[in-house]
Amino acid sequence: LTHIMRECGSPHSSQPALLAPHQISSEGLVGTTYLSADREQDEAESCSLSFMQLGIAHAELIAVAVRGAGTLDVIDPISGNVVNSLPAGVLPGYVTNIGRNIYSSDSGSEFIYRFLVNDNNTVVENGRIPVPGCVGGFHMISTQDFTTRRFLAVTCPGSKNTYIVNPENTAVKQIIPVPKFPEWIDSSNAEPHDVVLNGRFIYITYLKLFSLDPNRPNPGFVVQYNAFTYEELSRVETVSDPHVSAAGSSDLFIAAQSGTAAQGTAYQVNPTSMDIVTEFQTRWTSSAHGIAVSPDLQRLYVGNIINQEVGIVTFDLTVYPMQKLCRVTMTTEEKPHNIAVSNGFLFIASVSSDLVTRFELMNGKGCPVQATETFTTVAGTTLGITDVDVRF
């Protein structure tokens, strides 16, 4: 595999030891691991990650937050069939997992719903985690792919905060408020939206930022925070409505939808410096929204949700900067809102119906094959979708 960096030493170091992109050490794939919830101990530990710790082993389940029915629906990625449908609150938002525990945010309550994958791969309810003060819990991510220091990060746009939650003792570790923005921006209604992280950094996107400068469009921002101290470190400005995904510790990707036709943009960003490496603003990203990296970290999939060609564009991550590789269109009224990859298939959740779309990925190339488009009917309109590898 390519495009992986090695990061050793303190997560606070501005000069970590790095393996350049596309370089693999003779010892195999490596990365950053922090071995406890104690910050000082974490910093003293050595760093190495196995292939499975980085999430490269394929997932075994697809979990979907079914907002229209208040359920978590579980799909077998091979058959495409729904194998479980369980209550998940009032308005399920987004889904992530740590090992056999699956977590679903709920925009209609101050809880995160927890589920357990049994040994036979059936999923059962496993209680709730209270998040006092979290209003409108939405995007959520876990540290599971990057470190044994476990926590959940959930954005709460109604209370304009992002909550960091320990899933083991259910304690709220930190509340991250909306940061300050430049004076040319009206940020009075600003709220956090998407969130992603790697072993060293948390990245939060911010919406509802309005330009007071007639010569500048409404912006979006992705803000980088230290994953240990939670202090802001850097930020990058994008077109409005950005969403984020990470490829290990080597890349950060942004799909920014924009409020204007044909201005949606896909970005590749250095995850440490937050410098933009490259950006694509084409008809295939004119309303870029959903975004996902393949488990082998070689492909990036970006959904085009509204304007022009509604579908998925695939980027090649084995070259640097990334390059546009192929595209596929949606043949129904589905809007590609969120994306997951598992077992050689691409899954797409839509906010416009109760269908989850599945494409087979071309062997050796990773491109969705138009002729293989199939559909899975779930309990209601969907929102978040994720691949679940229970072997972590």
Side-chain angles (χ1 to χ4, degrees):
L1 294 176
T2 58
H3 225 49
I4 304 297
M5 290 185 178
R6 179 178 183 174
E7 301 188 4
C8 291
S10 167
H12 307 287
S13 170
S14 61
Q15 296 294 331
L18 296 178
L19 268 174
H22 317 299
Q23 184 178 356
I24 299 296
S25 77
S26 59
E27 299 174 349
L29 187 63
V30 290
T32 304
T33 298
Y34 305 111
L35 298 179
S36 78
D38 181 81
R39 175 177 150 196
E40 285 71 22
Q41 181 178 343
D42 290 336
E43 294 172 354
E45 299 290 352
S46 63
C47 58
S48 66
L49 273 180
S50 68
F51 285 86
M52 188 169 293
Q53 282 175 300
L54 268 176
I56 295 170
H58 67 71
E60 297 181 356
L61 299 169
I62 292 292
V64 186
V66 183
R67 201 167 180 84
T71 62
L72 178 86
D73 284 17
V74 181
I75 297 173
D76 176 354
I78 304 301
S79 68
N81 295 328
V82 175
V83 294
N84 287 94
S85 185
L86 299 165
V90 181
L91 292 169
Y94 284 80
V95 189
T96 189
N97 81 294
I98 298 176
R100 292 187 173 273
N101 282 295
I102 301 174
Y103 303 90
S104 177
S105 63
D106 179 21
S107 301
S109 73
E110 295 182 0
F111 290 97
I112 294 171
Y113 283 72
R114 181 168 54 195
F115 306 86
L116 178 68
V117 183
N118 289 325
D119 290 341
N120 61 0
N121 273 8
T122 59
V123 181
V124 297
E125 297 174 65
N126 193 28
R128 304 183 301 180
I129 298 174
V131 190
C134 174
V135 180
F138 207 58
H139 279 276
M140 182 171 63
I141 194 69
S142 72
T143 57
Q144 100 123 45
D145 288 354
F146 304 99
T147 171
T148 54
R149 178 179 173 266
R150 308 299 200 200
F151 64 81
L152 302 170
V154 57
T155 60
C156 305
S159 51
K160 298 186 177 183
N161 293 307
T162 298
Y163 283 69
I164 308 299
V165 180
N166 184 328
E168 296 179 0
N169 63 16
T170 71
V172 174
K173 294 168 59 65
Q174 185 76 20
I175 300 174
I176 301 175
V178 171
K180 293 182 179 180
F181 292 99
E183 292 184 356
W184 63 271
I185 297 172
D186 176 2
S187 60
S188 58
N189 293 309
E191 60 186 44
H193 186 65
D194 200 1
V195 58
V196 75
L197 47 88
N198 58 29
R200 300 173 61 217
F201 306 115
I202 303 169
Y203 307 92
I204 302 173
T205 74
Y206 290 92
L207 308 182
K208 298 186 178 178
L209 301 170
F210 301 101
S211 175
L212 301 175
D213 183 342
N215 297 316
R216 305 178 76 165
N218 293 335
F221 277 89
V222 180
V223 179
Q224 175 199 61
Y225 297 88
N226 185 301
F228 290 80
T229 65
Y230 310 108
E231 63 181 328
E232 180 182 341
L233 299 177
S234 187
R235 59 176 67 182
V236 61
E237 181 183 342
T238 68
V239 299
S240 61
D241 199 359
H243 297 76
V244 285
S245 185
S249 59
S250 64
D251 277 307
L252 182 70
F253 302 102
I254 302 170
Q257 182 176 337
S258 178
T260 305
Q263 288 190 354
T265 306
Y267 302 85
Q268 182 176 19
V269 175
N270 182 301
T272 301
S273 69
M274 297 298 281
D275 293 330
I276 294 176
V277 176
T278 188
E279 58 186 275
F280 288 83
Q281 190 176 86
T282 72
R283 63 182 300 175
W284 309 113
T285 61
S286 60
S287 55
H289 193 92
I291 186 168
V293 176
S294 63
D296 63 7
L297 309 183
Q298 294 190 358
R299 299 290 182 263
L300 174 71
Y301 301 97
V302 177
N304 202 50
I305 193 170
I306 300 173
N307 303 317
Q308 300 180 25
E309 299 291 338
V310 175
I312 305 294
V313 60
T314 303
F315 291 91
D316 183 0
L317 302 185
T318 66
V319 295
Y320 192 84
M322 68 181 186
Q323 296 293 324
K324 185 160 59 72
L325 184 64
C326 51
R327 63 176 177 82
V328 66
T329 58
M330 312 288 280
T331 60
T332 68
E333 293 300 318
E334 308 316 296
K335 307 296 185 185
H337 191 250
N338 289 291
I339 306 168
V341 186
S342 176
N343 291 271
F345 294 97
L346 185 73
F347 293 84
I348 305 154
S350 169
V351 293
S352 58
S353 80
D354 60 356
L355 297 179
V356 173
T357 303
R358 185 181 74 164
F359 288 99
E360 184 177 346
L361 297 175
M362 184 183 300
N363 187 30
K365 194 172 182 182
C367 290
V369 180
Q370 187 76 63
T372 65
E373 185 181 28
T374 58
F375 307 97
T376 299
T377 302
V378 294
T381 53
T382 63
L383 195 59
I385 186 169
T386 193
D387 52 299
V388 177
D389 191 335
V390 300
R391 291 170 291 182
F392 281 103

